[in-house]
């Protein structure tokens, strides 16, 4: 520090003594029109160049580079020029006299010219900057943090020092552009409390930035992605900046924003639609593989069928020029596009095969998953891939990497591991988190399934390994004492092993930590409960309590995730009306902001709970809204597209049946005919057996119908009709007309039940409920099955639901017991 104090005055004196010598030289630099003129200037004036002029020369060279496209940049030519070495040596001798801004700017530019981090000049510039760190202003500090990030020094003591400076001075920082740069750089090593402080500071400063600062908004989203926090208020404000400048965004920016949104699970229909339009306009501009691959990855998944074919044809023509990373990106996009272009799949696979040795373990997993999904088959490819994965497995020491390698091997045609591989797994088990353990368990279960199918055996080693996985999974849960840490490990877990072995213990751990549930994590915890189908009333009561107390801090985008477990698990909480009323009221102010897709799911979830908010329904059942929804459906993958259409149909059905006073028409007749006709009339072996039993109970096969389609297209397993004396009526012998319900207009030739019955007769629906109709842990009917029963009763049915646990119980283990059970359920106790 004393040395710096000694230098600084001297540095200032130098500038005072040379006020007139600088100007002519800098003016000459300003007149240079290309790099060669700059280098000629350096050669002629190297003996008298000051530290300021050296810095200015770097700046001019970089300005020339920035004006070129990425394909025309000549970084290597600049770096290898003889006079660049002169500039290099001048920088080495004069860096101590440079002011802070010039010093860091030179460091930044040297890195842009691809000078390695271990180069003596770069090391000297970093060291000099470290010595001055405490005196840097916010702009210089932010640029220096970018230089360190470019060297991947995210976890270095120096980055930690920068984080500490930001923390101490956060209250006084007013420049959001510089702060956003720092936030991204230090995001890997800051505490949750500091993360929250940065988010709050960003919100305060957001209105101070110019609305044209797209890069600042993008860095804010990048920061949220880095800390894995989908904070809707900030995302929404950043999204508005992107929308207002989407016509000025380039391919790189749009690709980056779409990638960040995908990771954060933030859905902005407006941005995707406008981005698609903007990217489509760019298609004629890109004919080079590097740029066209980026366009393919960004636009391909949301393109229409014809556009996808054109994209795939163009990529096929360019395929010979693709690099290893470009081929990997194309394969990932093809997986997302659900491509079935076998020629292109084989061509990209051949490129991947050629470069297979260059890929990292995580990239090999992506390749494996994509090729399996795309139904690619090549013994030669998979043999080499397996050998490579096994070679990595032998030398890898990271638990997460080992679990990735094992998981990838388990997906291949020959999924087994030898003793060495199993030993590698066992060695790292104590260090594994729940995600790693889950990947290992999924892999072992695949081995067991493979053995059962092809070898008709299961080895004891596999079962012992599963037991060890169970042990370490339970141990990790028991040691967990922080809800947010636990949630980070839980949110991506799925599969049979977790559900069977750890779910109960996981819910118990969540219950112990439920006082840590707050407005920031409540949506995530609710979403996890929905996925597990595990009904824990204490956790749901806690979620409801947090929402009621902190609703003003919860963004409307999070309401769907919050109400989903109550809807799907059919939980009737004590403060039901207050809780759902609060959620609905909170939604009403944001109905125009929410994506059509989200509104459909919200409407259906609330309808399952018997809530039909008029404002929400008027928003959904509106021509303009449905047009927007159709536009969004075009951007979705086929599975999600069909799921949204089904939910809209089910919501339409629920409103027509339960709220006829809203006078919302039924408009899904054609959709239902296309979707359901192919499924009607087919019975599996178990259903055929039950059909025969019912025929015997009811007095003949003519007295029971199977796989019946009701008005509004519910399918029921079996139907029968009893007259007023509780005697079965054979179909066709009584006055039943397959007529039309009032206010319904049928255009289908499918036989639809909804007819008038003889006086006193009743129509009975028999539904056999399997595991999916109940919560995982208790025999509690889930929301969709309860809603179906409610709707069938509105349609005039007496509904008999037969749970699987009753039908398959010891009490009903004989044919006679089951026949008596059916008689009692249909006719009532004592009926024959």
């Amino acid at each position: 520090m004393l040395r710096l104090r000694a230098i600084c005055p001297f540095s200032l004196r130098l500038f005072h003594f040379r006020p007139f010598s600088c100007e002519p030289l800098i003016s000459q630099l300003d007149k240079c029109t290309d790099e060669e003129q700059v280098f000629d200037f350096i050669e002629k004036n190297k003996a008298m160049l000051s530290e300021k002029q050296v810095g200015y020369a770097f700046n001019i060279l970089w300005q020339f580079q920035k004006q070129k496209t990425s394909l025309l940049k000549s970084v290597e030519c600049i770096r290898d020029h003889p006079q660049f070495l002169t500039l290099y040596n001048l920088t080495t001798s004069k860096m101590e006299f440079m002011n802070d801004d010039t010093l860091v700017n030179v460091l930044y530019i040297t890195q842009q010219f691809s000078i390695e981090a271990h180069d003596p000049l770069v090391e000297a510039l970093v060291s000099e900057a470290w010595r001055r760190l405490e005196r840097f202003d916010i702009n210089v500090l932010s640029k220096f943090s970018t230089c360190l990030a470019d060297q991947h020094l995210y976890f270095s003591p120096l980055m930690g020092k920068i984080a500490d400076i930001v923390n101490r001075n956060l209250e006084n920082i007013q420049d959001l552009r510089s702060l956003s740069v720092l936030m991204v750089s230090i995001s890997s090593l800051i505490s949750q409390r500091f993360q929250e402080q940065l988010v709050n500071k960003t919100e305060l400063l957001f209105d101070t930035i110019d609305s044209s600062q797209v890069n600042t908004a993008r860095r804010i989203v990048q920061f949220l992605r880095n800390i894995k926090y989908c904070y809707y208020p900030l995302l929404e404000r950043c999204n508005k900046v992107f929308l207002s400048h989407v016509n000025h965004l380039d391919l790189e920016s749009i690709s980056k924003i779409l990638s960040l949104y995908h990771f954060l699970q933030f859905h902005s229909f407006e941005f995707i639609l406008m981005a698609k339009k903007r990217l489509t306009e760019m298609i004629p501009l890109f004919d080079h593989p590097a740029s066209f691959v980026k366009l393919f990855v960004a636009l391909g998944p949301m393109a229409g069928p014809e556009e996808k074919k054109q994209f795939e044809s163009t990529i096929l023509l360019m395929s010979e020029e693709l690099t290893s990373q470009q081929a990997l990106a194309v394969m990932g996009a093809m997986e997302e596009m659900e491509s079935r272009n076998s020629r292109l799949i084989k061509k990209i696979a051949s490129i991947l095969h050629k470069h297979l040795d260059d890929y990292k373990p995580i990239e090999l997993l992506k390749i494996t998953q994509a090729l399996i999904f795309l139904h690619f088959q090549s013994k030669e490819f998979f043999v080499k891939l397996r050998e490579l994965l096994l070679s990595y497995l032998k030398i890898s020491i990271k638990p997460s990497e080992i679990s990735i390698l094992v998981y990838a091997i388990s997906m291949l045609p020959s999924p087994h591991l030898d003793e060495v591989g199993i030993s590698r797994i066992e060695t790292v088990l104590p260090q594994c988190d729940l995600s790693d353990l889950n990947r290992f368990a999924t892999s072992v279960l695949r081995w067991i399934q493979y053995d059962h199918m092809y070898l008709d055996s299961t080895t004891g080693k596999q079962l012992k390994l599963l037991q060890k996985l169970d042990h370490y999974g339970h141990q990790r849960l028991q040691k967990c004492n922080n809800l947010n840490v636990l949630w980070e490990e839980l949110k991506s877990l799925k599969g049979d092993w977790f559900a069977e072995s750890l779910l109960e213990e996981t819910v118990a751990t969540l219950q112990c930590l439920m006082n840590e549930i707050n407005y920031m994590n409540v949506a995530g915890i609710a979403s996890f409960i929905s996925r597990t189908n595990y009904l824990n009333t204490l956790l749901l009561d806690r979620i409801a309590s947090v929402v009621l107390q902190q609703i003003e801090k919860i963004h409307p985008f999070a309401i769907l995730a919050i109400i989903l477990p109550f809807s799907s698990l059919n939980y009737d909480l004590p403060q039901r009306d207050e809780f759902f009323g609060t959620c609905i009221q909170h939604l009403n102010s944001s109905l125009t902001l929410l994506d059509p897709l989200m509104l459909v799911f919200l409407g259906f979830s609330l309808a399952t709970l018997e809530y039909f908010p008029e404002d929400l329904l008027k928003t959904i059942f509106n021509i303009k809204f449905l047009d927007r929804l159709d536009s969004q459906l075009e951007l979705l993958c086929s599975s999600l597209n069909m799921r949204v259409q089904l939910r809209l149909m089910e919501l339409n059905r629920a409103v027509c049946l339960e709220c006829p006073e809203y006078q919302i028409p039924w408009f899904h007749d054609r959709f239902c005919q296309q979707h359901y006709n192919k499924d009607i009339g087919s019975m599996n072996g178990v259903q055929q057996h039950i059909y025969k039993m019912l025929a015997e109970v009811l007095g003949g096969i003519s007295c029971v119908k199977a796989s019946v389609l009701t008005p509004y297209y519910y399918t029921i397993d079996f139907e029968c009709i009893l007259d007023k004396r509780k005697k079965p009526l054979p179909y066709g012998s009584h006055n039943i007309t397959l007529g039309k319900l009032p206010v319904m207009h049928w255009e289908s030739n499918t036989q639809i039940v909804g007819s008038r019955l003889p006086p006193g007769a009743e129509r009975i629906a028999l539904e056999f409920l399997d595991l999916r109709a109940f919560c995982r842990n208790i025999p509690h009917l889930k929301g969709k099955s309860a809603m179906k029963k409610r709707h069938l009763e509105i349609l005039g049915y007496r509904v008999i639901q037969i749970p699987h646990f009753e039908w398959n119980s010891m009490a009903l283990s004989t044919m006679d017991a089951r026949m008596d059970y059916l008689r009692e359920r249909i006719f009532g106790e004592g009926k024959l």
Side-chain angles (χ1 to χ4, degrees), residues 221-222 224-226 228-232 235 259-267:
V221 179
Q222 178 73 57
L224 294 173
R225 181 251 180 258
N226 289 358
K228 301 175 183 178
Y229 182 23
C230 186
Y231 186 61
Y232 291 117
L235 287 171
S259 174
L260 293 172
Y261 279 4
H262 179 75
F263 181 90
L264 290 167
Q265 294 293 291
F266 177 73
H267 306 287

Side-chain angles (χ1 to χ4, degrees), residues 641-831:
N641 183 310
M642 180 53 65
R643 189 174 163 220
V644 175
Q645 291 189 68
L646 282 170
R647 288 294 177 265
L648 180 63
M649 181 277 291
E650 290 166 333
L651 175 60
N652 188 197
R653 176 169 61 194
V655 174
C656 288
L657 287 170
E658 299 193 61
C659 298
E661 67 274 14
Y662 286 166
Q663 297 185 333
I664 291 173
W666 167 253
F667 56 90
H668 278 89
D669 199 45
R670 184 175 299 174
F671 170 80
C672 290
Q673 289 170 26
Q674 294 171 348
H675 185 73
Y676 288 114
N677 278 355
K678 58 179 182 240
D679 298 325
I680 301 301
S682 60
M683 287 190 291
N684 59 34
V686 174
Q687 288 172 321
Q688 289 176 5
H689 179 64
I690 295 170
Y691 184 49
K692 292 175 182 177
M693 292 176 66
L694 284 169
E696 186 173 341
V697 167
L698 293 167
I701 204 164
S702 64
C703 294
V704 60
K705 278 194 172 183
S707 301
V708 176
L709 193 65
T710 76
Y712 295 104
Y713 294 90
Y714 269 121
T715 55
I716 54 178
D717 295 333
F718 302 99
E719 180 197 276
C720 64
I721 299 170
L722 303 183
D723 66 14
K724 60 183 179 182
R725 292 183 296 276
K726 299 292 184 182
K727 289 190 176 181
L729 291 175
Y731 284 90
S733 68
H734 46 79
N735 183 24
I736 295 179
T737 58
L738 297 174
K740 303 172 183 177
L741 288 181
V743 308
M744 292 188 64
H745 304 280
W746 301 105
E747 299 176 0
S748 171
N749 293 322
T750 305
Q751 186 179 30
I752 295 176
V753 178
S755 58
R756 296 184 296 275
L757 296 175
E762 65 175 349
R763 193 183 304 277
I764 298 174
L766 288 100
E767 285 279 281
F768 285 78
L769 304 180
D770 60 15
L771 282 166
R772 292 169 296 179
F774 298 93
C775 298
R776 182 181 291 275
N777 56 319
I778 57 174
H780 178 75
L781 197 64
K782 287 166 62 177
K784 280 195 71 175
S785 297
M787 182 167 70
K788 181 177 181 179
K789 181 176 187 293
R790 194 166 71 238
H791 289 174
L792 290 176
E793 288 170 347
I794 292 172
L795 289 169
Y797 283 95
R798 174 160 71 91
V799 182
I800 299 173
Q801 292 182 323
I802 300 175
H804 68 93
F805 50 83
E806 288 186 8
W807 187 252
N808 297 319
S809 65
M810 288 298 294
L812 301 183
S813 58
T814 66
M815 177 75 77
D816 289 341
R818 286 181 170 179
M819 298 279 279
D820 290 340
Y821 175 85
L822 289 174
R823 288 190 186 96
E824 184 175 332
R825 295 298 305 272
I826 295 170
F827 300 112
E829 191 173 355
K831 298 289 181 184

Side-chain angles (χ1 to χ4, degrees), residues 43-57:
E43 184 178 15
K44 293 174 184 175
N45 298 284
K46 59 187 175 186
M48 55 180 141
L49 287 179
S50 70
E51 65 279 359
K52 182 178 179 181
Q53 292 150 0
V54 168
Y56 201 77

Side-chain angles (χ1 to χ4, degrees), residues 106-122:
V106 168
L107 172 62
Y108 175 80
I109 294 171
T110 56
Q111 292 184 185
Q112 302 311 304
F113 284 133
S114 300
I115 297 179
E116 298 292 341
H118 55 74
D119 185 274
L121 175 61
V122 174

Side-chain angles (χ1 to χ4, degrees), residues 114-368:
S114 300
I115 297 179
E116 298 292 341
H118 55 74
D119 185 274
L121 175 61
V122 174
E123 291 180 343
L125 288 166
V126 171
S127 297
E128 181 64 28
W130 193 339
R131 284 194 287 270
R132 305 183 189 187
L133 198 61
E134 288 287 350
R135 79 183 197 204
F136 281 172
D137 66 32
I138 185 70
N139 294 316
V140 174
L141 191 66
S142 66
K143 181 170 267 191
F144 183 52
S145 74
T146 300
C147 296
L148 297 180
D150 288 344
Q151 295 183 34
H152 306 290
L153 297 175
Y154 301 105
F155 298 98
S156 67
L158 184 48
M159 193 70 87
K161 183 66 175 174
I162 291 173
D164 178 60
I165 293 171
V166 175
N167 188 31
R168 284 188 276 115
N169 296 281
L170 185 59
E171 192 174 330
N172 299 321
I173 295 174
Q174 299 300 318
D175 180 4
L176 185 54
R177 189 202 66 79
S178 298
L179 179 60
S180 67
V181 174
L182 287 162
M183 286 161 58
V184 172
S185 299
I186 66 177
S187 57
S188 299
L189 41 69
I190 58 178
S191 66
Q192 184 181 345
R193 180 174 172 274
F194 192 11
Q195 291 172 5
E196 293 173 20
Q197 289 175 331
L198 289 171
V199 168
N200 293 336
K201 183 69 175 183
T202 302
E203 283 195 283
L204 289 173
L205 295 179
F206 200 93
D207 292 332
T208 66
I209 67 169
D210 189 311
S211 61
S212 65
Q213 290 194 24
V214 173
N215 287 335
T216 299
R218 182 182 55 75
R219 283 191 293 267
I220 292 168
V221 179
Q222 178 73 57
F223 170 72
L224 294 173
R225 181 251 180 258
N226 289 358
I227 65 173
K228 301 175 183 178
Y229 182 23
C230 186
Y231 186 61
Y232 291 117
L234 264 183
L235 287 171
E236 196 177 354
R237 295 172 83 174
C238 291
N239 191 57
K240 288 179 180 177
V241 173
F242 300 145
L243 287 172
S244 62
H245 293 86
V246 71
N247 290 328
H248 304 290
L249 295 178
D250 59 14
L251 173 59
E252 189 74 34
S253 298
I254 293 175
S255 299
K256 185 67 175 176
I257 293 166
L258 288 172
S259 174
L260 293 172
Y261 279 4
H262 179 75
F263 181 90
L264 290 167
Q265 294 293 291
F266 177 73
H267 306 287
S268 170
F269 166 59
E270 283 78 12
F271 180 77
I272 291 175
L273 203 60
M274 293 178 73
K276 180 184 177 183
K277 180 176 179 292
R278 174 77 175 135
L279 291 172
T280 303
E281 292 168 354
M282 295 180 186
I283 293 176
L285 304 177
F286 299 115
D287 55 3
H288 189 279
S291 52
F292 193 82
V293 165
K294 286 183 180 178
L295 188 65
F296 181 85
V297 171
L299 184 55
M302 54 177 141
E306 290 304 315
E307 291 171 313
K308 286 180 180 179
K309 287 181 182 179
Q310 292 175 3
F311 268 128
E312 290 174 340
S313 298
T314 306
I315 281 289
L316 190 59
L317 293 172
M318 294 180 174
S319 57
E320 293 295 339
E321 303 174 62
L322 298 182
T323 66
S324 60
Q325 287 302 311
Q326 288 165 358
L328 179 62
V330 168
M331 183 60 74
M334 290 172 66
E335 179 185 12
E336 197 173 344
M337 293 160 62
E338 301 175 352
S339 174
R340 291 296 177 261
N341 187 325
S342 58
R343 187 180 172 196
L344 181 59
I345 293 170
K346 288 178 182 177
K347 185 62 184 178
I348 300 301
S350 69
I351 300 169
L352 296 173
H353 192 185
K354 185 169 64 176
H355 297 285
L356 214 50
D357 293 331
D358 302 329
Y359 293 114
K360 300 173 184 176
I362 187 63
E363 293 171 332
L364 292 176
L365 174 60
K366 290 177 181 178
I367 291 170
T368 306

